[in-house]
Amino acid sequence: MAVNKTQPKTDNKTTATGASVEEFLAAVEHPVRHRDGLRLLELMAEATGQPAEMWGPTIVGFGRYHYRYATGREGDAPAVGFSPRKASLSLYGLSYGPESAALLARLGKHKTGAGCVYVNKLDDVDEAVLTELIRNGYRHVTTVLHHR
C-alpha cells in the first residue's frame, strides 16, 4: 500500500488530556516552579474566566481555539497557558496582538521565542502587566486570530 505524502498530518502532539491539573502541579518538584505554577493557575483562570485543563503531559491551558492552516492541518489548542519547565516558566499565547510588544517592554525580566514568553520566576515580572498580557493574549487568540 502506497503512502500519500501530500495528505496533512492529523496527529497533533498537544491535545487536551483530561488529566488533573492539580495533580500535575503538585508533582512539580522545583519549589519556585511549584509556587509559581499555582499562582499562574489563579492568574490565568481569573484573567480568562476559563477553567484550567491539561494539554499534553506538561501544559496547563485556558480556553481553546480551533486552527486550520492552508496546508490542511487543523486542530484545537489552548488559547493561553503555561508550563513550569525545569529551565523556566513557559507562557503561551501572550505575545500575540497589537498591545503585546508594549506590555512585554514593561513586563520585567523575560525572554521571548517561538511564540512563547519565558520567565525564570514570577518575582522577576510585574504581575499587573502579566495579567494584562494574559487578558490581551486570550482575547486576541479567540476573537482575531482564530474565530469561527
Side-chain angles (χ1 to χ4, degrees):
M1 179 176 189
V3 175
N4 180 355
K5 292 185 180 184
T6 61
Q7 186 168 344
K9 181 179 177 188
T10 57
D11 294 337
N12 295 324
K13 291 180 184 178
T14 305
T15 59
T17 65
S20 169
V21 171
E22 291 77 14
E23 286 179 20
F24 166 69
L25 292 175
V28 173
E29 293 179 12
H30 190 289
V32 174
R33 298 278 180 279
H34 175 79
R35 179 197 70 206
D36 288 351
L38 294 174
R39 182 64 184 135
L40 283 168
L41 179 65
E42 292 176 22
L43 281 176
M44 289 193 169
E46 184 177 316
T48 66
Q50 299 295 314
E53 61 182 328
M54 289 302 301
W55 288 80
T58 62
I59 296 174
V60 179
F62 299 82
R64 56 174 62 202
Y65 68 91
H66 188 78
Y67 61 86
R68 182 176 298 127
Y69 298 126
T71 62
R73 183 180 176 92
E74 66 180 285
D76 294 314
V80 296
F82 71 91
S83 183
R85 305 213 185 262
K86 287 184 181 182
S88 63
L89 296 166
S90 297
L91 309 175
Y92 304 99
L94 308 189
S95 59
Y96 304 115
E99 309 90 354
S100 65
L103 288 168
L104 285 169
R106 297 182 10 237
L107 179 61
K109 187 177 176 184
H110 73 282
K111 294 179 182 179
T112 58
C116 295
V117 175
Y118 302 101
V119 173
N120 287 330
K121 58 187 183 288
L122 291 182
D123 290 342
D124 290 342
V125 300
D126 183 321
E127 195 170 288
V129 174
L130 177 59
T131 300
E132 272 309 298
L133 277 165
I134 296 165
R135 283 191 188 112
N136 288 330
Y138 176 78
R139 181 174 50 246
H140 190 76
V141 167
T142 58
T143 64
V144 177
L145 288 183
H146 302 283
H147 63 280
R148 291 184 189 203

